[in-house]
Amino acid sequence: MFYEKYISKNKTFIDETWKKLDEKLSRTAVKSRDKIPYTTKDGVHDDHSGNPFMWTNGFWGGLMWIMYEATGNEEYKKTALRSEELMDKAFADVSKLHHDVGFMWHILSGASYRLTGDPASRNRNLIAAMTLASRYKENGGYIRAWNGTWFGRDNDGWTIIDCMMNLPILYWASKELGDDRFTQIAMAHADMTIRDHVRDDGSMNHIVAHDPATGEMIDTLGGQGYAVGSTWSRGASWGLYGFILSYIHTTEKRYLDTAKQIAHYFISNVADTDYLPLVDFRAPEEPVYYDSTAGAIAACGLIEIAKQVPEHEQRPYIAAAIKILKALEEKFCSWDENEDSILQMGTEMYTRGIHKPIIYGDYFFAEAIAKLRGSEFNPWLK
Ligand code: GLY
């Protein structure tokens, strides 16, 4: 099989990178145990445990679960459990929660429940799933993204491509409760995303505004990318990974086809930049802004696509995933003991937060390397 051939050809890279990940993370797991990091300042993890509503707060604990599952090192488990505990503050005011509860809890409490069987973790994940389901708008068949306003505009009726990654918690809730309401919502949202976000060439709209009364699409916004009509690369990677996850959960071929369509667009757009994704695939040539996180997320999705397609289709997906990960490791990873983060050169959005370490970069980079080592533990899948 092409998949296995590529893995064995790249075994040295995979094993050496994993060793470096484990060496570094086993130190930071202890050092940053009481924090929920987002980035680093002067090499030291910052701490967002005081703001439990932040959409990125699940990644540190999620990363710890990936490492624990692969190594059995109890230090990782202790930090993951501590992270879960710190996140409980969010349940004191659920009105402040938003659609990113999948990112926040499924890879943290969902993973915890799978690995420890703790009913308290199951309960946390169910609260998150029910919160997400409650954001469903029947008119238009979509999940509302945020609350209030965004850059001064009322965002009632807005959907964002990122939400494809929040759907796995709904598929999980349906299986856990034997109740397909959650899956119906997830599939309605995925179908809306195909209709309103994914363009014919596999590029996509980051934000779509729907008429809150009728559900009709009325506008698209540039969001975190360069401009309206451009393609924010992390948005593309959320779509790529999100659709293959929806396919694995539902076996609906249209989700596989959409994941492949986005993958082809993504791969063709990194080929000319040495497999290091630019922040936006349709930005002007200058300035050159990269987003390493888009590469790590896309690599995870490409590996999953390669595992789903017949043997003769596997090559472009697994080859691109490995090229991206090698490029990230060579150019953008820091193995320096004095720097708590690993993947550098992430970017929040085209206009802000350029070239910095961001916690989900480390999370997806580790998830991808763990997959290549043969781990079947995918926190988004169960
Ligand atoms: N989900 C927001 C982002 O990717 O920055």
Side-chain angles (χ1 to χ4, degrees):
M1 298 238 306
F2 280 114
Y3 186 87
E4 268 92 46
K5 205 173 101 190
Y6 271 84
I7 298 291
S8 68
K9 235 170 56 181
N10 290 284
K11 198 173 172 337
T12 308
F13 162 72
I14 297 165
D15 289 348
E16 284 176 1
T17 307
W18 179 261
K19 192 163 172 280
K20 288 188 273 192
L21 278 166
D22 189 25
E23 273 169 14
K24 183 153 185 171
L25 286 167
S26 55
R27 280 195 305 272
T28 48
V30 178
K31 190 173 163 217
S32 300
R33 178 154 301 151
D34 292 318
K35 293 182 181 180
I36 301 192
Y38 172 73
T39 186
T40 58
K41 194 165 183 317
D42 301 325
V44 178
H45 271 148
D46 63 354
D47 177 23
H48 290 267
S49 57
N51 175 12
F53 305 105
M54 225 169 124
W55 78 273
T56 52
N57 278 1
F59 288 109
W60 173 238
L63 173 58
M64 295 294 104
W65 282 130
I66 296 229
M67 299 308 293
Y68 171 69
E69 196 276 338
T71 63
N73 178 346
E74 290 289 322
E75 298 301 331
Y76 290 126
K77 182 177 174 181
K78 283 186 207 159
T79 306
L81 292 174
R82 177 71 182 133
S83 217
E84 243 191 307
E85 210 176 270
L86 290 169
M87 288 278 288
D88 277 350
K89 279 184 247 163
F91 296 131
D93 185 359
V94 291
S95 71
K96 290 209 178 74
L97 290 174
H98 37 71
H99 76 139
D100 281 329
V101 289
F103 279 119
M104 292 166 74
W105 277 284
H106 197 44
I107 54 172
L108 178 66
S109 298
S112 178
Y113 177 51
R114 252 176 93 185
L115 294 171
T116 69
D118 183 351
S121 297
R122 175 181 184 268
N123 198 49
R124 291 178 178 110
N125 220 37
L126 284 174
I127 295 172
M130 288 175 186
T131 301
L132 184 58
S134 76
R135 303 184 69 80
Y136 183 66
K137 305 257 293 193
E138 181 67 32
N139 283 350
Y142 60 82
I143 294 167
R144 178 180 175 173
W146 303 308
N147 310 319
T149 56
W150 200 80
F151 284 80
R153 273 186 69 168
D154 182 357
N155 63 39
D156 189 6
W158 287 18
T159 54
I160 68 172
I161 185 65
D162 323 31
C163 192
M164 285 305 302
M165 291 299 290
N166 288 316
L167 304 185
I169 197 171
L170 297 176
Y171 299 121
W172 169 82
S174 270
K175 280 182 218 138
E176 191 62 24
L177 300 175
D179 180 343
D180 74 349
R181 285 176 302 151
F182 300 93
T183 292
Q184 284 176 17
I185 290 173
M187 289 176 70
H189 186 89
D191 291 338
M192 176 287 299
T193 306
I194 293 176
R195 191 181 66 234
D196 293 348
H197 284 265
V198 184
R199 305 186 191 118
D200 289 346
D201 64 355
S203 68
M204 67 194 60
N205 300 311
H206 175 201
I207 302 177
V208 173
H210 300 86
D211 181 329
T214 64
E216 268 169 54
M217 171 168 164
I218 48 176
D219 202 1
T220 66
L221 290 89
Q224 284 162 256
Y226 169 66
V228 175
S230 70
T231 299
W232 176 46
S233 62
R234 190 160 65 250
S237 66
W238 292 140
L240 191 168
Y241 196 11
F243 271 104
I244 192 62
L245 291 171
S246 268
Y247 170 69
I248 298 168
H249 279 288
T250 64
T251 71
E252 290 292 335
K253 187 174 167 294
R254 63 186 180 281
Y255 301 148
L256 172 63
D257 289 343
T258 306
K260 285 162 72 173
Q261 184 190 2
I262 302 169
H264 301 160
Y265 182 84
F266 196 98
I267 294 169
S268 64
N269 273 280
V270 291
D272 187 44
T273 53
D274 299 325
Y275 290 87
L276 299 168
L278 299 172
V279 174
D280 194 305
F281 292 140
R282 288 182 181 164
E285 231 173 306
E286 298 285 339
V288 178
Y289 293 148
Y290 291 100
D291 179 16
S292 59
T293 71
I297 299 158
C300 287
L302 290 166
I303 295 168
E304 295 298 344
I305 296 177
K307 289 195 214 164
Q308 295 300 320
V309 296
E311 184 188 348
H312 60 274
E313 283 188 43
Q314 291 170 350
R315 178 162 46 194
Y317 307 108
I318 186 63
I322 291 178
K323 281 188 178 140
I324 291 170
L325 293 166
K326 280 187 161 173
L328 293 179
E329 198 284 321
E330 192 192 330
K331 301 276 197 244
F332 291 162
C333 278
S334 164
W335 305 112
D336 182 346
E337 284 191 23
N338 298 312
E339 168 59 55
D340 287 348
S341 62
I342 296 166
L343 190 59
Q344 313 299 302
M345 302 287 280
T347 292
E348 287 166 0
M349 57 193 285
Y350 192 82
T351 51
R352 188 179 77 200
I354 319 269
H355 295 169
K356 59 197 275 188
I358 315 179
I359 191 64
Y360 45 85
D362 287 7
Y363 171 87
F364 285 102
F365 186 76
E367 186 189 307
I369 301 293
K371 284 186 209 299
L372 295 180
R373 281 182 81 234
S375 172
E376 292 297 323
F377 174 71
N378 183 331
W380 311 93
L381 281 183
K382 288 272 159 63

